[in-house]
């Protein structure tokens, strides 16, 4: 029987792995198994039964024609994912989330170190060794040093996910794989919800660090900003890492953020975000280096985040009305 299975695999090896072909292959395998067992019951030897089965079922072109399958339509020429491919994709998304989360965290830690060292310089720390400007340059150096591995993580993550770009053009999942991924997604839901709640609570509570630091004097407020950035870095890591895992399940199941409607919304929102956030970062750096407003310029990030959230929600509502 293994010979028949191997023969059938070879027959379909050169054909597109579509859902239609998968069903045809399973149907043929069932028919061939039935014929094989009939021949064995009739007293045929293993080799005789295998030879008769293979000779009777002919080649794949004849079978497709006889079964009325016809030509495979262009839109159906999408791959049927295997279990190994889905596992590799989920693992790649998990690694990507880890790298992007760590890279983003490094950037925020770098910004925190810049503010911390610059503030120490303003308050006379090591004034006998370094001037205030020198301390600012040291802080900038730390930021640039952390920027390098962060960028490397972003680039490496993007390169790793590049080989899965073909999934955006469409794919099929066998029923058993789809059921397994749905079950795993349900099991992961509690973990994702916990990470989301933890991240939101950290962000909401993070300004407390500034209030506490301010209680020790106005010059101490910048130290609170450093703590705030560190807390937000942890929250962002939780959002990115666990969000990527959830995104892998959603993409494979074509639900949530990866439904057709959501993809269109994300393209517009993503385009706006790619313009807004770099501008906000420029405002943050210019106001700090040029106008020395490190103690208050951090406010641009939460304010922009709130405004961007309002924009995203308004856009989604308007799109929903248009669709209705």
């Amino acid at each position: 029987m293994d010979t028949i299975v191997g023969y059938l695999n070879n027959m379909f090896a050169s054909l597109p792995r579509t859902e239609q072909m998968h069903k045809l292959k399973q149907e043929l395998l069932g028919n061939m198994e039935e014929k094989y067992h009939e021949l064995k019951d009739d007293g045929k030897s293993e080799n005789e039964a295998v030879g008769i089965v293979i000779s009777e079922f002919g080649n794949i072109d004849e079978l497709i024609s006889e079964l009325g399958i016809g030509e495979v339509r262009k839109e159906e020429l999408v791959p049927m994912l295997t279990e190994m491919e889905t596992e590799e994709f989920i693992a790649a998304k998990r690694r990507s989330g880890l790298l992007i989360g760590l890279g983003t965290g490094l950037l925020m830690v770098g910004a925190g170190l810049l503010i911390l060292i610059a503030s120490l310089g303003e308050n006379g720390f090591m004034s006998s060794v370094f001037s205030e400007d020198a301390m600012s340059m040291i802080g900038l150096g730390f930021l640039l040093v952390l920027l390098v591995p962060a960028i490397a993580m972003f680039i490496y993550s993007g390169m790793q996910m590049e080989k899965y770009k073909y999934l955006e053009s469409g794919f099929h999942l066998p029923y058993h794989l789809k059921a397994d991924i749905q079950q795993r997604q349900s099991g992961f839901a509690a973990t994702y919800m916990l990470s989301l709640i933890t991240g939101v609570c950290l962000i909401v509570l993070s300004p407390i660090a500034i209030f506490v630091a301010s209680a020790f004097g106005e010059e101490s407020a910048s130290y609170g900003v450093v703590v705030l950035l560190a807390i937000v870095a942890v929250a962002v890591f939780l959002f990115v890492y666990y969000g990527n895992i959830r995104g892998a399940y959603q993409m494979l199941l074509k639900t949530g953020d990866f439904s057709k409607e959501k993809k269109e919304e994300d393209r517009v929102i993503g385009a706006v975000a790619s313009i807004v956030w770099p501008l906000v970062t420029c405002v943050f750096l210019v106001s700090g280096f040029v106008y020395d407003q490190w103690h208050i310029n951090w406010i641009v990030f939460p304010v922009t985040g709130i405004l961007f959230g309002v924009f995203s929600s308004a856009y989604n509502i308007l799109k929903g009305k248009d669709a209705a």
Side-chain angles (χ1 to χ4, degrees):
M1 190 61 207
D2 290 340
T3 304
I4 295 175
V5 173
Y7 169 76
L8 195 61
N9 288 335
N10 289 331
M11 286 174 66
F12 282 83
S14 60
L15 295 172
R17 287 187 289 118
T18 65
E19 186 173 11
Q20 188 181 32
M21 287 299 173
H22 178 73
K23 290 179 180 178
L24 174 59
K25 182 179 178 181
Q26 296 305 310
E27 183 179 347
L28 287 175
L29 180 60
N31 292 336
M32 294 172 87
E33 284 182 344
E34 184 179 351
K35 183 65 176 180
Y36 168 81
H37 290 301
E38 286 180 3
L39 292 169
K40 291 287 288 183
D41 292 341
D42 290 342
K44 300 292 184 181
S45 67
E46 175 75 16
N47 290 336
E48 287 177 327
V50 170
I52 292 172
V53 169
I54 290 176
S55 63
E56 284 191 5
F57 279 84
N59 61 59
I60 189 65
D61 294 329
E62 293 175 354
L63 288 170
I64 290 176
S65 177
E66 289 175 5
L67 292 171
I69 299 299
E71 294 185 1
V72 179
R73 293 178 297 175
K74 184 176 181 180
E75 59 268 23
E76 293 177 336
L77 293 177
V78 293
M80 173 73 72
L81 299 185
T82 64
E83 184 174 359
M84 180 178 293
E85 288 171 331
T86 57
E87 290 299 328
E88 288 177 350
F89 173 71
I90 293 172
K93 286 286 285 184
R94 189 187 298 268
R95 288 193 300 271
S96 175
L98 178 63
L99 291 172
I100 294 175
L102 288 175
T104 305
L106 284 176
L107 291 178
M108 301 191 75
V109 169
L113 286 175
L114 170 60
I115 297 172
L116 174 63
I117 296 174
S119 298
L120 289 173
E122 289 179 5
N123 295 329
F125 180 77
M126 296 186 70
S127 57
S128 60
V129 181
F130 299 107
S131 66
E132 184 177 328
D133 290 340
M135 291 290 283
S136 296
M137 289 301 101
I138 292 172
L140 179 61
F142 274 104
L143 173 61
L144 295 177
V145 166
L146 293 177
L147 182 64
V148 172
I151 293 175
M153 288 179 183
F154 295 151
I155 294 174
Y156 181 76
S157 173
M159 292 175 63
Q160 289 295 300
M161 294 307 301
E162 189 68 28
K163 62 182 178 180
Y164 297 103
K165 279 284 187 181
Y166 71 93
L167 295 179
E168 296 178 3
S169 300
F171 59 88
H172 291 299
L173 276 180
Y175 177 78
H176 71 282
L177 268 183
K178 187 173 184 179
D180 178 61
I181 293 171
Q182 287 174 332
Q183 185 176 7
R184 290 167 63 177
Q185 184 186 42
S186 298
F188 177 73
T191 301
Y192 174 74
M193 185 60 65
L194 179 61
S195 69
L196 186 63
I197 292 172
T198 302
V200 171
C201 289
L202 286 174
I203 290 177
V204 171
L205 295 175
S206 60
I208 294 177
I210 297 175
F211 302 143
V212 172
S214 298
F216 294 94
E218 186 178 344
E219 67 279 358
S220 301
S222 57
Y223 301 132
V225 175
V226 175
V227 177
L228 177 144
L229 289 174
I231 294 173
V232 172
V234 174
V236 169
F237 175 81
L238 293 176
F239 292 151
V240 173
Y241 179 66
Y242 289 100
N244 248 36
I245 298 174
R246 178 172 177 260
Y249 293 139
Q250 288 186 334
M251 186 170 184
L252 290 172
L253 297 173
K254 300 177 183 177
T255 59
D257 293 340
F258 293 91
S259 62
K260 290 182 179 179
E261 297 79 9
K262 189 63 178 175
K263 283 182 179 180
E264 177 61 28
E265 294 172 5
D266 288 346
R267 274 196 290 269
V268 176
I269 295 173
V272 175
S274 65
I275 298 172
V276 170
W277 288 108
L279 287 176
V280 170
T281 304
C282 288
V283 170
F284 172 76
L285 295 175
V286 170
S287 62
F289 285 114
V290 178
Y291 299 102
D292 197 25
Q293 297 296 312
W294 297 113
H295 64 288
I296 192 63
N297 64 349
W298 58 271
I299 198 70
V300 299
F301 290 109
V303 169
T304 303
I306 293 171
L307 293 177
F308 192 77
V310 172
F311 162 75
S312 300
S313 300
Y315 178 79
N316 291 337
I317 292 172
L318 292 174
K319 285 291 291 183
K321 288 182 178 179
D322 292 342

